[in-house]
Every structure is written in structure tokens, then in C-alpha cells.
Amino acid sequence: MKAIFKLMLTVLKWFLIILFVITLGLTAIGYRQAHVPKGYDIAYYNEGDRMTKYLLKKNYSGDNVMMFDGIVDYYTKGDYILVLDMKIIINDTRIEYTDQASFWAVHYKTGEKTGPMNEGEFNNFLRMHNLGNVNLKIPKYYLQRIARSGD
């Protein structure tokens, strides 16, 4: 009986060590949890397409107000929601995806928006607000879609 209990403790110990290493590894490679603070929501702009998202903020009456459409990457850090936004053109029958990117920072406690910024301005903003390094990227699927639409 003692041998089985000892074996179970050894297995549990190794399981916890492996779990810790995986968590540490995901953190080291920049894994980010995609969430936004209370009062905000991220949703797909076009559920059938799933190319871009939009950021909603609840107003005082509880209604959702769109703050951005065309979001391809975002991250919440400190008091800010940091957004990489691509300009999209919405026609009656289709959405045109462009290569025009801008960075934005939304102070989620006040709702104040800073932007549009280019990548250099965005990195300066991060430095000035002690937010460290945030690497927002245009996803490969989006870049492929732009390349196809240019043909």
C-alpha cells in the first residue's frame, strides 16, 4: 500500500513539474490571453468570414457602442487595451480588406483613445507608459487575403 501511495505522489509531482514548465514556456514565447476588461467586448465583425474583430464598449445605458472595426490583434496591459487595426472598406455586398494598419491605445477606465499611431509611435507610447514590449502582428491569414485580393 505504501508503494502505491509513493508512486502516486511521484506521478503527481512530475505532473505538476510538467505543468509548470509548459506554463513557463508559453509565457516565454509570448502567449497572450485574449481578454478585455469588464465593460468591453471583442467580437468578430463578420461571423462567416472571421477575418477581423471589433471592439465594443458599453455606454451608460448599457448599449454596446463600436469603438473599432478591423481589429486583427489586440492585447490588454496595464490600464490599456492595445489594438492593431486594419482599415476595412464595407460595401453593400462585400468587405474589402486593405493593408493600411494603425495602432491604438484605449485607456479602459476613462475610454480615452490614443491614435492612430504608426509602429514607432506605438512603441514610444508603450515606453512612455511603462507598458514594456507588446508585439501586435498582422496574422498570416490576413496578409494572404490581401495578397489574393490584389490579383
PDB file of all heavy atoms in Angstrom, residues 104-116:
ATOM      1  N   TRP A 104      -3.596  51.650 -31.877  1.00  0.00           N
ATOM      2  CA  TRP A 104      -4.391  52.468 -30.967  1.00  0.00           C
ATOM      3  C   TRP A 104      -4.194  51.963 -29.540  1.00  0.00           C
ATOM      4  O   TRP A 104      -3.906  50.794 -29.322  1.00  0.00           O
ATOM      5  CB  TRP A 104      -5.877  52.376 -31.313  1.00  0.00           C
ATOM      6  CG  TRP A 104      -6.245  53.014 -32.603  1.00  0.00           C
ATOM      7  CD1 TRP A 104      -6.099  52.482 -33.863  1.00  0.00           C
ATOM      8  CD2 TRP A 104      -6.808  54.300 -32.783  1.00  0.00           C
ATOM      9  NE1 TRP A 104      -6.542  53.361 -34.796  1.00  0.00           N
ATOM     10  CE2 TRP A 104      -6.994  54.491 -34.169  1.00  0.00           C
ATOM     11  CE3 TRP A 104      -7.183  55.311 -31.907  1.00  0.00           C
ATOM     12  CZ2 TRP A 104      -7.537  55.646 -34.689  1.00  0.00           C
ATOM     13  CZ3 TRP A 104      -7.735  56.467 -32.426  1.00  0.00           C
ATOM     14  CH2 TRP A 104      -7.903  56.629 -33.799  1.00  0.00           C
ATOM     15  N   ALA A 105      -4.398  52.860 -28.592  1.00  0.00           N
ATOM     16  CA  ALA A 105      -4.410  52.502 -27.179  1.00  0.00           C
ATOM     17  C   ALA A 105      -5.685  53.083 -26.581  1.00  0.00           C
ATOM     18  O   ALA A 105      -5.972  54.260 -26.763  1.00  0.00           O
ATOM     19  CB  ALA A 105      -3.184  53.053 -26.464  1.00  0.00           C
ATOM     20  N   VAL A 106      -6.447  52.242 -25.908  1.00  0.00           N
ATOM     21  CA  VAL A 106      -7.678  52.682 -25.249  1.00  0.00           C
ATOM     22  C   VAL A 106      -7.468  52.539 -23.747  1.00  0.00           C
ATOM     23  O   VAL A 106      -7.213  51.438 -23.246  1.00  0.00           O
ATOM     24  CB  VAL A 106      -8.891  51.823 -25.681  1.00  0.00           C
ATOM     25  CG1 VAL A 106     -10.155  52.285 -24.964  1.00  0.00           C
ATOM     26  CG2 VAL A 106      -9.068  51.860 -27.187  1.00  0.00           C
ATOM     27  N   HIS A 107      -7.524  53.670 -23.044  1.00  0.00           N
ATOM     28  CA  HIS A 107      -7.459  53.638 -21.581  1.00  0.00           C
ATOM     29  C   HIS A 107      -8.830  53.162 -21.120  1.00  0.00           C
ATOM     30  O   HIS A 107      -9.815  53.886 -21.199  1.00  0.00           O
ATOM     31  CB  HIS A 107      -7.133  55.023 -21.015  1.00  0.00           C
ATOM     32  CG  HIS A 107      -6.811  55.005 -19.573  1.00  0.00           C
ATOM     33  ND1 HIS A 107      -7.779  54.970 -18.597  1.00  0.00           N
ATOM     34  CD2 HIS A 107      -5.622  54.999 -18.934  1.00  0.00           C
ATOM     35  CE1 HIS A 107      -7.203  54.959 -17.427  1.00  0.00           C
ATOM     36  NE2 HIS A 107      -5.884  54.969 -17.595  1.00  0.00           N
ATOM     37  N   TYR A 108      -8.894  51.901 -20.682  1.00  0.00           N
ATOM     38  CA  TYR A 108     -10.222  51.324 -20.472  1.00  0.00           C
ATOM     39  C   TYR A 108     -10.971  51.883 -19.268  1.00  0.00           C
ATOM     40  O   TYR A 108     -12.184  51.760 -19.190  1.00  0.00           O
ATOM     41  CB  TYR A 108     -10.172  49.791 -20.445  1.00  0.00           C
ATOM     42  CG  TYR A 108      -9.453  49.162 -19.283  1.00  0.00           C
ATOM     43  CD1 TYR A 108     -10.051  49.018 -18.043  1.00  0.00           C
ATOM     44  CD2 TYR A 108      -8.176  48.664 -19.448  1.00  0.00           C
ATOM     45  CE1 TYR A 108      -9.402  48.400 -17.005  1.00  0.00           C
ATOM     46  CE2 TYR A 108      -7.504  48.047 -18.411  1.00  0.00           C
ATOM     47  CZ  TYR A 108      -8.129  47.920 -17.192  1.00  0.00           C
ATOM     48  OH  TYR A 108      -7.474  47.314 -16.165  1.00  0.00           O
ATOM     49  N   LYS A 109     -10.303  52.561 -18.370  1.00  0.00           N
ATOM     50  CA  LYS A 109     -11.016  53.159 -17.240  1.00  0.00           C
ATOM     51  C   LYS A 109     -11.711  54.456 -17.640  1.00  0.00           C
ATOM     52  O   LYS A 109     -12.784  54.774 -17.138  1.00  0.00           O
ATOM     53  CB  LYS A 109     -10.059  53.400 -16.077  1.00  0.00           C
ATOM     54  CG  LYS A 109      -9.556  52.104 -15.457  1.00  0.00           C
ATOM     55  CD  LYS A 109      -8.616  52.362 -14.312  1.00  0.00           C
ATOM     56  CE  LYS A 109      -8.136  51.043 -13.722  1.00  0.00           C
ATOM     57  NZ  LYS A 109      -7.180  51.241 -12.634  1.00  0.00           N
ATOM     58  N   THR A 110     -11.090  55.220 -18.562  1.00  0.00           N
ATOM     59  CA  THR A 110     -11.668  56.502 -18.977  1.00  0.00           C
ATOM     60  C   THR A 110     -12.300  56.440 -20.366  1.00  0.00           C
ATOM     61  O   THR A 110     -13.081  57.318 -20.723  1.00  0.00           O
ATOM     62  CB  THR A 110     -10.581  57.596 -19.012  1.00  0.00           C
ATOM     63  OG1 THR A 110      -9.612  57.262 -20.020  1.00  0.00           O
ATOM     64  CG2 THR A 110      -9.914  57.743 -17.663  1.00  0.00           C
ATOM     65  N   GLY A 111     -11.932  55.418 -21.174  1.00  0.00           N
ATOM     66  CA  GLY A 111     -12.426  55.332 -22.549  1.00  0.00           C
ATOM     67  C   GLY A 111     -11.645  56.201 -23.521  1.00  0.00           C
ATOM     68  O   GLY A 111     -11.937  56.234 -24.709  1.00  0.00           O
ATOM     69  N   GLU A 112     -10.610  56.906 -23.039  1.00  0.00           N
ATOM     70  CA  GLU A 112      -9.822  57.777 -23.906  1.00  0.00           C
ATOM     71  C   GLU A 112      -9.019  56.937 -24.905  1.00  0.00           C
ATOM     72  O   GLU A 112      -8.368  55.963 -24.546  1.00  0.00           O
ATOM     73  CB  GLU A 112      -8.860  58.613 -23.056  1.00  0.00           C
ATOM     74  CG  GLU A 112      -7.985  59.532 -23.864  1.00  0.00           C
ATOM     75  CD  GLU A 112      -6.976  60.280 -22.994  1.00  0.00           C
ATOM     76  OE1 GLU A 112      -7.110  60.267 -21.757  1.00  0.00           O
ATOM     77  OE2 GLU A 112      -6.058  60.865 -23.577  1.00  0.00           O
ATOM     78  N   LYS A 113      -9.091  57.357 -26.187  1.00  0.00           N
ATOM     79  CA  LYS A 113      -8.371  56.662 -27.255  1.00  0.00           C
ATOM     80  C   LYS A 113      -7.161  57.490 -27.670  1.00  0.00           C
ATOM     81  O   LYS A 113      -7.259  58.703 -27.816  1.00  0.00           O
ATOM     82  CB  LYS A 113      -9.269  56.456 -28.476  1.00  0.00           C
ATOM     83  CG  LYS A 113     -10.462  55.567 -28.209  1.00  0.00           C
ATOM     84  CD  LYS A 113     -11.186  55.174 -29.481  1.00  0.00           C
ATOM     85  CE  LYS A 113     -11.949  56.307 -30.090  1.00  0.00           C
ATOM     86  NZ  LYS A 113     -12.799  55.880 -31.224  1.00  0.00           N
ATOM     87  N   THR A 114      -6.023  56.823 -27.855  1.00  0.00           N
ATOM     88  CA  THR A 114      -4.824  57.459 -28.382  1.00  0.00           C
ATOM     89  C   THR A 114      -4.495  56.781 -29.712  1.00  0.00           C
ATOM     90  O   THR A 114      -4.323  55.574 -29.759  1.00  0.00           O
ATOM     91  CB  THR A 114      -3.640  57.307 -27.417  1.00  0.00           C
ATOM     92  OG1 THR A 114      -4.001  57.856 -26.151  1.00  0.00           O
ATOM     93  CG2 THR A 114      -2.405  58.003 -27.945  1.00  0.00           C
ATOM     94  N   GLY A 115      -4.418  57.562 -30.764  1.00  0.00           N
ATOM     95  CA  GLY A 115      -4.116  57.007 -32.084  1.00  0.00           C
ATOM     96  C   GLY A 115      -4.803  57.836 -33.146  1.00  0.00           C
ATOM     97  O   GLY A 115      -5.469  58.824 -32.829  1.00  0.00           O
ATOM     98  N   PRO A 116      -4.626  57.517 -34.377  1.00  0.00           N
ATOM     99  CA  PRO A 116      -3.855  56.381 -34.872  1.00  0.00           C
ATOM    100  C   PRO A 116      -2.360  56.639 -34.728  1.00  0.00           C
ATOM    101  O   PRO A 116      -1.903  57.769 -34.776  1.00  0.00           O
ATOM    102  CB  PRO A 116      -4.256  56.286 -36.344  1.00  0.00           C
ATOM    103  CG  PRO A 116      -4.627  57.691 -36.716  1.00  0.00           C
ATOM    104  CD  PRO A 116      -5.214  58.300 -35.475  1.00  0.00           C
TER     105      PRO A 116
END
